[in-house]
Amino acid sequence: MAQETENCDPIGTILIQVHEDLSQLKEKLTKFPLEEREETLDIQNLETAIKRTEMGLKIHIEKYLNVVNHNVLTTPVDDDKLYSSHTSKWLLPSVIDQKSFIFPLESECKLWQPQHSTFPHAFPRMKQKIGLNVKIMQDPENIHPRAAVNANYGISLPHTNERKPCVKVQKLIKGSTITNLTILPASHRTDPYFTPIPVLEADVNKGILSMIERGLIPPTARITLQNPPIIPRAAPLHNFDEAHKTPSAAPFATTQKPQPIPEAKIAPKTQGSKGKGRRSRGRLDRKSIKVTSPSRALQSPWDYDFVIYNGIIDKTAPDFVAFKEHFNLSWGSIFSLLEHIEKFLRDYAIPEVKIKGNNLVALLPEFELKNKLTRYDLLSVSENPAHIQMMLNHPGQRYKGQGGKVKAICKIQATWKGYKARKSFLTFRRQKWASGIIAIAWLLHCHKIRLKKILKESRERHLQNFRTRAKHLAANWNRIRTSRRTIIHIPSLGYSQPVRRNIADFNTEQNMQLGRLCDITDANVSVIYICSHQLNDDLLLYYKKILSLHAAVKSGNLEDKSDLQDRFKMITPEAINIFTKHHMCLATHLKYSPKAIKRIKSLTRGTEAYIVSGFPHRDDLAVADMLDVPILGPEPAVAHLYSSKSGSKSVFDSANVPVPPGLRDLYSHQQMIEQLSQLVIDHLEIQRWLFKMDYEFGGNGTAFCDILSHLKCHKWVLKESSRHGREDWHKKWAQNQSYWTGCS
C-alpha cells in the first residue's frame, strides 16, 4: 500500500481505511451469531479498538497538517493505481467508490455505504469525477470531507491555517513613465519678436516655477496673483511690562465653539491632560490645561486664586475650597505641589503670597516631571512676583525662616571649609607649578649634559680617526703624490660663530678659492671642488673652456687644447638652500648634506683621495670620517691657535724672524694700558700704533692710535730721553717718572 500511494496525498487513503475499519466493526456487531450472543460481549475490547482508531486518525491528521503547512499540496492521480485491487493493512481497498461516498451538501440524510468489491473499469468521465473526489478528500481546507467525517463519526477535524493569497508582483515597466512637457527652445527665449505660445491647463497645473524654468513665462515677466497665499499685516508691538503677563482664558473661550456640556464632564479632560503631561514637554501642556476649562474662568471672578499666610494654607477659606472643588480630580498632584510651596515659603519667611490657581495647575506637568520646585516656578504661580523676588534676594532671608539657624551654621562651616580648602589648593598648585618647573629644568639639564657627552665622545672619535689617517697619509705620501689620486677641496672658513656672523657675504668669501681647480694641470690629479654657491650651466661651461686652454697656452698651439671636464667636478651641498640664515661654514653644510656626501663617495670609490680644507673646523673631521678619507692639514685646534695674531707672532718669535715691536696675549683693559705705555716709552720714535683683535678675519677688528695727537706729554718725554741719554733711558730708574706721567 505504501508503494501504491507513494506519489499521492495519504489523507484520502487514511480516511477510507478508517471508514472501512469502522464499517467492518459495525457489520461484525450486526451479524453476530445467535449461538454466540449468549456469550458475554467484551465491551472493553470494543472501546479499546475505537480509541486506537481515533488515536491513529488524530496522529495522521497532525502529521498531515504539518506537511500541509510546510509543503506544496499536489494531487497526482495514477489510473493504474487508482483501480488497483490490493488491500491495505486494515483490509481496505485503495479505491474510493463514487457511490460509497456521499457529501452531506448533496444528501445530508445519507451515510457512507462501504462496499468490499473492487471498482469495475469505468468510462473516462467517471475517471475524471473519481479523481476530482479524491482531490476534494485530500484538500484539508475543503468543507465537504470535514462535514462528512463529523456527520458520520463525530470527529471534528482541526482547522488548518488558511493560505495567504499570493501577492501579485507588478511588472516593471521600462522607459519614461511621465508625459512630455512643453519646453520652449533656448533660441526662442531670447528672441524679442517671438510670439508667446499658448499655455495649456496641464502646464498651469505644474506651477509657476515650472513654467518659468521651461520658458513658457519670460523671466522678466511681472506675475500678479488674484488671491495671494500670503497677506502682509502689521505685527503688534507690546510693552515691556506685558511680556510676563499670563494671557487670560477669555480669548480662548471666544475662539472656541460653545459647548453645552456640564462642568463635571470637563474635569476628566483635565485629568487626561495630566496623564499625558508625563509624556509631553514644556508649555504645550500648560496651554492645553488652560483651554480645557474656559467656561468656568468666565464664571469665577477670582480665577481660583487663594492666599497663603506665613507658609500655611487656610483649608477653610472660601477661595481655597472653591479651588479644591474645581480641580478635585487632579487633587493628588496639586496637594504635593502645595506642600512644596508651603515648605518653600516657610523656609524663606514670606508672610503673604497670593497663588494663581490656573498657573498652579499649568505648572503640574513640569512639576511631576522634575519633582522639584524652583524659585522661578514659585514666581510664575504668584500674583506679585516682583515683591517676592525682592524678598528672596534680600541678604540673609533664608536664615529667617524655619531651620534658619541650622542653615546659617552649615553655611558658615561650608564657607570656612571652602576658604581653607581654597587656600590649601592655591598653595598646592603653586608648589606643583614650582615642582614642574624644577623637574623640566632638571630634565633639560640632564638632556643637555647627555648631549654634550655624546658630542664630546663623537668629536674625540673623529679626532682619533683623523690622527690615524694622517699617519697613514704621511707614511704613503711619496707613493700617493706620484700616483693617480683625487683631491677634495673644501674651501671652508671655520671661524667661530661671532666672527662668521660679522663677515659680509660669507659664502662669497668661502668661494674665492676657485684657483684650486688648477690642480688638474697634473695629469694624475682629479679635483672635486665643494662650492658654496649654486653655479649655473654658463659658469660651468666657462670654467671648462678656460681649463681646456691650459695646454694650448703652454704650447702656443690652439689645437693642443684638451677636454678636462671629466677630471673635475663641482658639487654644491643641498643644505645651503636650507640653512640660509645660520652663518654655517662650508664643512658644516656638507656634513648635513647626505646627497652630496653620497655623490662624493661614488666619485672617490676605488681611488686614493684626501681632503684639502681652508680654515679647519671640527666638522671637517666629521666629513672626513663620513667619507673615510684623510685630511691634508693640521688639527683644527692647532690651526686655530697658530692662525690668530698672537699665535702667528709666537711662531715668528720661535723661528727668530724679525718682527716689528709689539705685544701679544693681552686679555684685559688695564693690562693693555700698562703694556702700551711701556712700548711708547721704549720706542719714542714710533708715532702710530696698531691694535688687532686676535681672532678677526679680513681686516676686521683693527684700530690705530697716533701718539702725537693723543699723547700731550710726548714732547716732555722726548726731552727727558735726550737728557738721560740713549743708554740710560732704557733703564728702569730713568723711565719711572715718565712712565707714571704717561699712565696718568
Side-chain angles (χ1 to χ4, degrees), residues 137-368:
M137 290 297 297
Q138 293 176 351
D139 187 4
E141 296 180 359
N142 199 311
I143 61 174
H144 294 168
R146 186 186 305 276
V149 174
N150 189 14
N152 288 276
Y153 305 106
I155 299 174
S156 298
L157 297 178
H159 293 278
T160 59
N161 296 330
E162 296 182 357
R163 300 180 186 176
K164 296 182 179 179
C166 298
V167 179
K168 295 184 179 180
V169 181
Q170 296 181 358
K171 186 177 181 180
L172 297 178
I173 301 176
K174 296 184 179 179
S176 178
T177 59
I178 61 175
T179 59
N180 295 328
L181 301 177
T182 305
I183 299 176
L184 189 65
S187 60
H188 296 333
R189 297 184 187 184
T190 57
D191 188 3
Y193 301 103
F194 178 74
T195 303
I197 62 176
V199 180
L200 302 178
E201 185 178 358
D203 297 329
V204 175
N205 294 333
K206 297 297 181 181
I208 298 176
L209 182 60
S210 176
M211 291 190 292
I212 293 175
E213 292 179 349
R214 289 183 284 146
L216 301 180
I217 299 178
T220 58
R222 183 176 180 181
I223 302 172
T224 304
L225 301 177
Q226 294 181 357
N227 298 322
I230 300 176
I231 300 176
R233 189 179 66 182
L237 299 178
H238 302 278
N239 295 330
F240 181 77
D241 298 336
E242 298 178 0
H244 299 286
K245 291 184 178 180
T246 305
S248 61
F252 297 98
T254 57
T255 56
Q256 291 180 348
K257 296 182 180 180
Q259 298 178 359
I261 57 177
E263 181 184 352
K265 295 183 179 180
I266 299 177
K269 294 185 179 180
T270 306
Q271 186 177 4
S273 64
K274 171 194 170 184
K276 295 179 181 178
R278 299 180 183 271
R279 300 184 298 270
S280 60
R281 300 286 182 184
R283 301 183 176 271
L284 295 177
D285 298 329
R286 302 182 185 181
K287 293 182 179 180
S288 63
I289 294 176
K290 293 178 183 178
V291 176
T292 52
S293 57
S295 58
R296 184 62 183 266
L298 295 176
Q299 297 175 3
S300 177
W302 300 284
D303 201 16
Y304 306 108
D305 299 346
F306 57 93
V307 183
I308 301 178
Y309 296 99
N310 298 323
I312 299 174
I313 299 175
D314 186 5
K315 296 181 175 56
T316 60
D319 50 0
F320 182 76
V321 172
F323 171 75
K324 183 176 180 181
E325 289 179 355
H326 183 74
F327 299 103
N328 190 23
L329 295 178
S330 58
W331 184 250
S333 302
I334 296 175
F335 183 74
S336 301
L337 179 57
L338 290 176
E339 286 183 345
H340 282 76
I341 293 175
E342 286 181 331
K343 183 178 182 303
F344 189 88
L345 296 177
R346 288 195 300 269
D347 290 343
Y348 284 88
I350 298 177
E352 180 181 355
V353 175
K354 188 173 184 179
I355 303 297
K356 304 189 73 173
N358 289 334
N359 294 353
L360 181 67
V361 175
L363 185 63
L364 278 179
E366 187 175 353
F367 173 74
E368 291 178 354

Side-chain angles (χ1 to χ4, degrees), residues 1-17 60-69 71-78 81-82 94 96 131 133-142 145 160 163:
M1 182 64 185
Q3 294 178 355
E4 294 177 358
T5 61
E6 182 178 357
N7 298 324
C8 63
D9 200 336
I11 187 62
T13 305
I14 293 172
L15 293 175
I16 293 173
Q17 291 175 0
H60 285 290
I61 288 174
E62 290 178 359
K63 290 183 179 180
Y64 174 73
L65 291 178
N66 291 333
V67 172
V68 168
N69 292 332
N71 297 318
V72 179
L73 297 177
T74 57
T75 57
V77 178
D78 193 349
K81 296 181 180 180
L82 183 64
S94 60
I96 301 176
N133 291 337
V134 172
K135 289 182 180 180
I136 291 174
M137 290 297 297
Q138 293 176 351
D139 187 4
E141 296 180 359
N142 199 311
T160 59
R163 300 180 186 176

